[in-house]
Amino acid sequence: MRIGVITFPGSLDDRDAQRAVRLAGAEPVALWHGEHDLRGVDAIVLPGGFSYGDYLRCGAIASFSPIMSEVIDAANSGMPVLGICNGFQMLTEAHLLPGGLIRNESGSFICRDQKLRVENANTAWTNQFETGAEITIPLKNGEGGFIADAETIARLEGEGQVVFRYLEVNPNGSINDIAGISNARGNIVGLMPHPEHATEEGFGPDTAAAMRSGVDGLTFFTSAIHALIST
């Protein structure tokens, strides 16, 4: 399986996402924001960072990059697409996911290992988790507060489109402790925490077993591979 990772001006975590794809057993394919070519990939990752310096709004300019025309078409056709942090912001700006992300409630940039609960294990990026599983994923953002109107929140909650929820602490003031959501079909997922930073022992969050041994993020990428094989 070939999973594309798109680099935008200001992307920071594209290489980390490529490594996560490789560790999961797929072939990472580097894609460039200024092209109109997905190079035949089977799935797409929009990585974290500060695309276009976060000017205008986080992810707003990137959502109009040339390659996003192909991403939107592919996503609407059912291709698995994962938006991580800045990538989540791009997905909302491109209207592939509802709602939006605003400045953290504290007004400060937050970097921490964040505990999450898996609310939906039936998406292309979560099918190897158990519903209700508690995982720990690094989080680092300044504009991570998820917002939407009351009708949209009710729909997301009622139709199982809340995929991840913050546990113990809500780091950015997101409505209903929402950390990640999906589209109705389940092929598009966006979240603020960074699974690509929890894929290899020695470099992940601390666990009860050992320091820096957390690899909960790897399951996102093995889930995508499983979803592709199953289709």
Side-chain angles (χ1 to χ4, degrees):
M1 296 297 170
R2 304 173 77 244
I3 299 180
V5 180
I6 303 174
T7 297
F8 298 84
S11 292
L12 294 181
D13 302 295
D14 46 341
R15 295 297 182 88
D16 303 81
Q18 291 174 28
R19 182 171 180 81
V21 168
R22 186 178 297 109
L23 288 169
E27 177 188 350
V29 178
L31 302 176
W32 181 240
H33 77 108
E35 299 177 351
H36 283 284
D37 187 1
L38 295 180
R39 298 178 56 191
V41 299
D42 303 296
I44 297 168
V45 177
L46 303 179
F50 304 91
S51 59
Y52 293 92
D54 281 347
Y55 292 115
L56 185 59
R57 291 184 308 276
C58 299
I61 298 176
S63 71
F64 290 100
S65 287
I67 203 168
M68 288 301 292
S69 297
E70 281 66 38
V71 171
I72 291 169
D73 289 344
N76 286 332
S77 296
M79 181 181 289
V81 177
L82 177 66
I84 303 170
C85 196
N86 192 219
F88 184 13
Q89 295 160 342
M90 293 178 205
L91 290 175
T92 61
E93 291 287 345
H95 305 294
L96 287 171
L97 289 176
L101 287 306
I102 62 172
R103 187 72 180 169
N104 292 344
E105 190 173 55
S106 66
S108 301
F109 185 91
I110 294 174
C111 182
R112 55 175 285 124
D113 289 341
Q114 178 65 48
K115 185 176 286 187
L116 308 173
R117 182 171 59 241
V118 179
E119 301 283 17
N120 182 346
N122 294 313
T123 78
W125 298 92
T126 60
N127 59 76
Q128 297 298 288
F129 288 110
E130 295 290 335
T131 299
E134 297 183 4
I135 63 175
T136 301
I137 302 293
L139 175 140
K140 49 175 185 174
N141 64 69
E143 292 83 15
F146 181 75
I147 60 168
D149 60 70
E151 181 180 350
T152 298
I153 293 294
R155 176 168 54 82
L156 291 172
E157 295 281 8
E159 297 182 7
Q161 289 177 240
V162 175
V163 181
F164 298 100
R165 210 179 301 271
Y166 296 116
L167 291 181
E168 297 181 357
V169 61
N170 182 333
N172 42 40
S174 294
I175 294 175
N176 291 7
D177 300 328
I178 293 172
I181 62 173
S182 74
N183 64 337
R185 189 171 182 174
N187 63 300
I188 307 171
V189 170
L191 78 162
M192 289 310 297
H194 286 258
E196 78 280 13
H197 294 321
T199 59
E200 188 173 11
E201 291 189 11
F203 300 93
D206 294 343
T207 71
M211 292 177 60
R212 316 305 296 168
S213 62
V215 293
D216 289 335
L218 191 62
T219 306
F220 287 71
F221 302 95
T222 57
S223 292
I225 295 169
H226 178 79
L228 292 167
I229 292 172
S230 300
T231 56

